[in-house]
Every structure is written in structure tokens, then in C-alpha cells.
Amino acid sequence: MSEIKFVQTHCAVQGCKTTVFNKGLSTLLHQFPTSVDMRNKWLVILRSKCASVDWLRSKICSKHFENKHFDHQRKLKETAIPTLFPGSSSSSTTKKVTKVAENSPRDKIDRMLNTLTQAEITDDIRNTMRMIKIPDNFSDCVGDNLQCIPDTPVEAQLMLLIKKQDHLITRLKQVVMQNKKHVEVLQKNLEDIRTSKKEMEQSIESYKYIVKCLQEKHATLEEQIEILTAVESR
Ligand SMILES: [Zn+2]
């Protein structure tokens, strides 16, 4: 069907940079096994190693398989399972590296940032930006393609980056505001519908009451119709 359209061009393992374009001759991108049993084994292992995994489309590169999993033609054996995940904390060879990263200042900042809400971070960025001075010749440093011209001082390069981020934040805020408004309109419509439903229910109740009264009075059928028509035409 449309399978060809969706063929993945990159390795699904998180942090792995292998793609069909850069993989080189010795590396291959492997599809999930056809055997359900093996496929499930792969899925269990890969669930925690991939941002998203889809056994029909996702591909895993040769770098995640030990040599014993290949035959003499460098073909993946049917019993092969991915076990090598460099950079992942479960690999013993990279445990030390991860530990250092955990204590690195950058990681500490990331952890602290995770404790703040989006609004708090946005406000903080805005406040910091107010204190940053735009370089005098800033607009001369930026070309028509919104890139910095060669030899632009780092200061101006950073300023452009900040400007772009600020612009993006503003746009995202606008989208959020618009969505909020849409939700408000939908809620208002829902309320209106509820009100008119209530009104309809009330008028049904009053009709029922009228019918009941008429029947109690033992009015003839002709009289009932006459009275109901009079009520309706009001
Ligand atoms: Zn890979």
C-alpha cells in the first residue's frame, strides 16, 4: 500500500545519529523481525531506548547488535536482538560517563528548570532580556536571510538567537491565546445548548400539565384539540 512512503530513513534508537544518508557501507538499517516472538522481544528492549517505536516502520541500525548476532555475510541472524546502546545508562561501559553528566553544571540546571512552570521560565527569560543591551550596529550584523554576516561578534550572534526565540515565544503565546478563545466560544455554545434544552423540557412539562388538566375536566377530544391549538398559536 503506502508503506514505501513511510519508510524510516533513520535509526529509531534515541540519541543514535545513523541515517540511510550517513550510515556508510558497514552499517545497515534493520527492520523488525517477522517472527512475532522475536518482534515482541525487540519491542520490550526498545521501548525504553526509542522516543517512539513502531515495529512496522521503525528501523534499528547495525551498531546496536553484537558481532555474534551476524552471520558470515554480515546478515542479521533470525535470533538477533539489539543489546548495544552507547550513551544509554543501562550500558555498563557508559555508566561512568552518565554519572559525570549527572553532576555536570548543565545537568543540574536542566533539573532545576524542570521544577519551574512554563510561565515562570517565560517571565524569567523576558526579565533577563530587558537587561541585555542590543549591540549598536546590530542590524548591520544581520543579513537579509536573517543569518549573521561573517565576522559578526558573538554578542550580536547571541542577540539574534535571543530575538528569534523571543519571537517564537510571542507566536506560541498567541496560538495559546487563540486556542483559549476557541475553548471559551465552545463552552459558551455548550451553555446555550443546555439552556435551550432546559427551556424545551420546561415547555414539554407545561404541555403535559395542560393535557392533564383537560383530561381531569373530562373535556371532549374536540375541546382538547381546540384548547391546545389556541395555546400553540399564542
Ligand atoms: Zn542506531
Side-chain angles (χ1 to χ4, degrees), residues 39-50:
R39 183 196 298 155
N40 287 341
K41 276 184 189 166
W42 279 40
L43 280 171
V44 168
I45 296 167
L46 292 167
R47 208 164 283 151
S48 62
K49 306 292 179 194
C50 306

Side-chain angles (χ1 to χ4, degrees), residues 11-13 16-18 29 59-64:
C11 174
V13 174
C16 181
K17 301 270 188 285
T18 305
L29 283 165
K59 288 183 176 177
I60 310 300
C61 79
S62 314
K63 291 172 187 167
H64 310 291

Side-chain angles (χ1 to χ4, degrees), residues 21-87:
F21 312 108
N22 68 8
K23 65 181 182 57
L25 288 174
S26 59
T27 308
L28 288 171
L29 283 165
H30 304 282
Q31 277 180 318
F32 271 64
T34 42
S35 127
V36 178
D37 202 34
M38 286 310 293
R39 183 196 298 155
N40 287 341
K41 276 184 189 166
W42 279 40
L43 280 171
V44 168
I45 296 167
L46 292 167
R47 208 164 283 151
S48 62
K49 306 292 179 194
C50 306
S52 73
V53 61
D54 168 355
W55 66 265
L56 263 178
R57 297 169 51 202
S58 299
K59 288 183 176 177
I60 310 300
C61 79
S62 314
K63 291 172 187 167
H64 310 291
F65 298 91
E66 291 165 57
N67 269 332
K68 63 175 184 188
H69 291 311
F70 295 96
D71 65 15
H72 60 282
Q73 287 182 302
R74 270 307 273 180
K75 256 190 180 174
L76 209 55
K77 289 181 189 167
E78 269 173 29
T79 53
I81 45 165
T83 52
L84 305 176
F85 302 99

Side-chain angles (χ1 to χ4, degrees), residues 33-158:
T34 42
S35 127
V36 178
D37 202 34
M38 286 310 293
R39 183 196 298 155
N40 287 341
K41 276 184 189 166
W42 279 40
L43 280 171
V44 168
I45 296 167
L46 292 167
R47 208 164 283 151
S48 62
K49 306 292 179 194
C50 306
S52 73
V53 61
D54 168 355
W55 66 265
L56 263 178
R57 297 169 51 202
S58 299
K59 288 183 176 177
I60 310 300
C61 79
S62 314
K63 291 172 187 167
H64 310 291
F65 298 91
E66 291 165 57
N67 269 332
K68 63 175 184 188
H69 291 311
F70 295 96
D71 65 15
H72 60 282
Q73 287 182 302
R74 270 307 273 180
K75 256 190 180 174
L76 209 55
K77 289 181 189 167
E78 269 173 29
T79 53
I81 45 165
T83 52
L84 305 176
F85 302 99
S88 153
S89 54
S90 65
S91 164
S92 59
T93 47
T94 53
K95 233 168 201 168
K96 266 181 233 157
V97 181
T98 318
K99 213 160 198 182
V100 172
E102 257 169 32
N103 295 329
S104 75
R106 181 192 260 182
D107 203 72
K108 183 187 152 201
I109 290 164
D110 277 341
R111 262 185 287 126
M112 288 194 295
L113 279 171
N114 277 334
T115 65
L116 297 177
T117 66
Q118 216 167 316
E120 281 169 337
I121 296 172
T122 311
D123 286 345
D124 187 71
I125 292 172
R126 286 273 151 83
N127 288 336
T128 312
M129 274 180 53
R130 265 178 226 123
M131 291 185 284
I132 296 173
K133 195 175 157 283
I134 298 184
D136 291 335
N137 56 344
F138 180 52
S139 53
D140 299 336
C141 297
V142 182
D144 290 336
N145 55 359
L146 263 178
Q147 304 295 319
C148 284
I149 56 161
D151 302 331
T152 301
V154 178
E155 225 175 274
Q157 285 177 28
L158 285 176

Side-chain angles (χ1 to χ4, degrees), residues 190-206:
L190 189 68
E191 250 165 55
D192 288 351
I193 289 169
R194 277 195 184 133
T195 311
S196 61
K197 188 183 165 228
K198 214 177 235 172
E199 278 168 6
M200 270 171 71
E201 278 170 352
Q202 273 169 354
S203 68
I204 286 171
E205 280 309 307
S206 62

